[in-house]
Amino acid sequence: MNRRKGSKVAGDCDSLQMESKAPEQTPNMGQKNGEIMDSEEVENGIFYTDLQTEFQASNQETSWVPSIMTSVLHAGGPFCSVMVERFGCRTTVMVGGVLSGLGMAASSFTHTITELYITAGVITGLGFCFSFQPTVTILGHYFVRRRAFANAMSSTGTALGLCTLPLLGNYLHTELGWRGSFLVLGAVLLNCCVCGAVMRPLWGRRHRGQPLMNHRPLQPEEEKPKGRMRALWAGLTAALRHHMAFDLLCNNLRYRVYAVGITWMMLGFLVPLIYLVPYATAHNMEQSRAALLLSILGIVNIVVRPPIGLLFSLPWFKGRHIYVFSAALLMNGLSNSICCIDASFPVLLAYVVTYGLSMSVVGSLMFTVLMDTLDMSRFPAALGLLAIMESVTLLIGPPLAGILVDRTGEYFYVFFACSATVASSAVFLMVSFYWLDRKVLKGQQVPPQVSPAKC
């Protein structure tokens, strides 16, 4: 149950409230950030073969680059929460833009694959985290009644990036090579700073300052080591409880089920975007046509996401978002099997259209379903813990796919494995939430949210 009053985010998100007073530009900033960042996964697919050739690396070694990037993007959630609380959303997003731009630009000067892990993986991924997660949190506090539509419109940034960046990346690859392309993309990522600069709360920042008088009793200058260690441990546990919702994971069954399902889903959800271009080019398709497939995927998302957002904002879908999400996720997983039929352009075109339709629904409802399972006052902490869990499977997914390619010499096994992984997570979510809803109907109450408590 979402509260219309009293929900706050730390820093300059404190004053963000509800839909009726929200400035129009906020969803657009999230859209632009998504456009710039989410499609870097696709860019790694375009330059995948070049990185292999340049560094004489195997599929497993090369796949660590996008996997580290996406893993750090999610694992940096608690650090992002601390940044938002200390400096505010605007500053955090701008710092993220600087980090991602510098990391991508520095990648063009690397000489080993290990250096690329640090620049394109850790530094750029952390920049993406700082730029992306504050926009998701802000959006949840601005919109309640039409939250599904707001999330859908914001997520079209991913679709715009999928549509434009493959063509841009292919052009840069042809003209400048992968090093020059990374340098230009680093400059493009600096535009996240512009997005952060115009991302402001409804009311001005509250003036914070030190009180003129400190009425607390004076602390002794010297403390025993045991006392200091206890205070340090107490502060650490309090910070973990504040920024990561371990109590929700223990006591909120709906959140626990959703977190497990999404974590398992991420093992194979993004891997096809990395291996689609190498799969097509390995079967003698021109790289320009392979990049066109990704642009078509983006066009499908652009066309489908806004009407889907409007449709799922209707009152009839209230309480049913999870079932629509699970059905779309099942379709998304099964669509990966299309690639196992053939690697010709018509077959892959049918694949990207089917994948794009289901991806549009999944991307539009992923955060909406999470917001439906808990109170918005707990959303930042719940998102941070979910991001940490996702980062584990995002880190190991592409390297496992790389090992599969190295062992078999065929790419279609990767798409088959992704199909099984994503489809099984969809079945798990659908069956689990149906069982929970049945328990509610039978009078065995499963509360949608709980108050903070120790596990």
Side-chain angles (χ1 to χ4, degrees):
M1 181 178 182
N2 298 305
R3 299 176 185 172
R4 288 185 172 267
K5 296 182 181 180
S7 297
K8 295 183 179 181
V9 193
D12 66 352
C13 299
D14 285 347
S15 58
L16 296 178
Q17 295 295 324
M18 293 297 113
E19 177 182 358
S20 59
K21 298 181 180 180
E24 293 296 328
Q25 69 267 29
T26 302
N28 293 334
M29 291 307 101
Q31 176 178 337
K32 288 181 174 63
N33 277 343
E35 174 184 353
I36 292 171
M37 294 182 303
D38 289 354
S39 298
E40 288 300 314
E41 196 80 20
V42 176
E43 294 298 316
N44 282 308
I46 293 176
F47 301 112
Y48 188 91
T49 306
D50 293 86
L51 297 179
Q52 270 189 303
T53 305
E54 177 73 20
F55 299 111
Q56 297 297 308
S58 64
N59 283 283
Q60 177 189 357
E61 293 171 332
T62 309
S63 61
W64 278 108
V65 177
S67 68
I68 292 175
M69 179 188 294
T70 52
S71 179
V72 172
L73 190 158
H74 289 77
F79 299 102
C80 183
S81 298
V82 173
M83 286 284 292
V84 169
E85 183 175 356
R86 180 65 181 85
F87 301 105
C89 290
R90 176 189 293 177
T91 303
T92 303
V93 172
M94 294 178 70
V95 169
V98 173
L99 282 175
S100 58
L102 290 179
M104 187 59 68
S107 300
S108 63
F109 300 102
T110 55
H111 296 91
T112 64
I113 193 73
T114 304
E115 294 175 357
L116 199 62
Y117 294 158
I118 298 173
T119 55
V122 177
I123 299 176
T124 305
L126 191 61
F128 287 169
C129 176
F130 288 172
S131 293
F132 178 68
Q133 293 200 19
T135 64
V136 177
T137 301
I138 286 177
L139 199 65
H141 279 263
Y142 267 114
F143 295 92
V144 173
R145 184 168 56 90
R146 295 182 178 176
R147 183 174 289 159
F149 178 67
N151 281 316
M153 289 302 297
S154 180
S155 66
T156 54
T158 303
L160 290 172
L162 283 172
C163 181
T164 57
L165 285 182
L167 299 178
L168 174 62
N170 185 63
Y171 172 77
L172 293 175
H173 174 267
T174 304
E175 298 294 327
L176 304 175
W178 76 268
R179 292 187 183 273
S181 301
F182 275 33
L183 191 61
V184 173
L185 291 173
V188 173
L189 287 170
L190 290 175
N191 285 279
C192 290
C193 299
V194 181
C195 298
V198 297
M199 186 185 297
R200 55 193 177 89
L202 181 60
W203 297 293
R205 179 192 290 270
R206 295 178 302 175
H207 295 286
R208 294 180 176 87
Q210 296 295 329
L212 294 179
M213 297 182 63
N214 188 353
H215 298 285
R216 292 179 299 177
L218 295 176
Q219 299 294 330
E221 294 182 1
E222 296 183 359
E223 296 180 0
K224 295 182 179 180
K226 288 186 177 180
R228 292 180 181 177
M229 290 300 296
R230 289 176 182 173
L232 180 61
W233 177 254
L236 179 61
T237 54
L240 286 175
R241 284 196 301 267
H242 179 65
H243 296 292
M244 299 181 68
F246 288 111
D247 60 305
L248 287 177
L249 192 64
C250 293
N251 300 319
N252 188 331
L253 190 53
R254 291 179 180 272
Y255 175 72
R256 189 190 315 162
V257 167
Y258 187 70
V260 171
I262 294 298
T263 301
W264 178 247
M265 174 200 80
M266 285 299 177
L267 186 63
F269 184 68
L270 296 179
V271 172
L273 297 180
I274 300 174
Y275 285 94
L276 179 60
V277 172
Y279 175 57
T281 54
H283 288 79
N284 302 319
M285 185 182 295
E286 296 180 0
Q287 180 146 336
S288 58
R289 299 194 76 189
L292 180 61
L293 290 171
L294 295 176
S295 296
I296 295 173
L297 176 63
I299 293 172
V300 172
N301 277 263
I302 292 174
V303 173
V304 173
R305 291 200 185 203
I308 279 181
L310 283 174
L311 177 64
F312 295 148
S313 296
L314 296 177
W316 187 85
F317 287 98
K318 186 177 181 181
R320 297 182 173 93
H321 289 145
I322 182 61
Y323 300 109
V324 179
F325 176 82
S326 301
L329 193 59
L330 180 62
M331 177 182 174
N332 183 272
L334 296 178
S335 68
N336 291 314
S337 301
I338 298 176
C339 290
C340 302
I341 300 174
D342 192 17
S344 62
F345 187 82
V347 173
L348 294 184
L349 178 62
Y351 164 67
V352 296
V353 171
T354 308
Y355 185 94
L357 289 172
S358 57
M359 181 185 182
S360 300
V361 181
V362 171
S364 300
L365 292 180
M366 182 178 294
F367 294 117
T368 303
V369 174
L370 178 59
M371 294 171 186
D372 289 343
T373 62
L374 43 86
D375 189 89
M376 273 307 302
S377 63
R378 305 303 315 281
F379 179 76
L383 180 61
L385 181 57
L386 179 61
I388 288 286
M389 296 174 65
E390 290 175 347
S391 67
V392 178
T393 48
L394 285 169
L395 180 64
I396 64 177
L400 288 177
I403 293 174
L404 192 59
V405 174
D406 289 335
R407 295 283 180 87
T408 63
E410 297 288 346
Y411 283 100
F412 73 87
Y413 289 111
V414 171
F415 293 93
F416 183 78
C418 292
S419 179
T421 301
V422 177
S424 61
S425 68
V427 173
F428 169 76
L429 287 173
M430 188 178 299
V431 172
S432 298
F433 273 88
Y434 178 77
W435 176 72
L436 291 174
D437 288 340
R438 292 287 295 177
K439 288 187 68 175
V440 173
L441 291 176
K442 291 180 180 179
Q444 301 176 14
Q445 185 175 3
V446 180
Q449 71 260 348
V450 297
S451 58
K454 291 185 178 181
C455 298

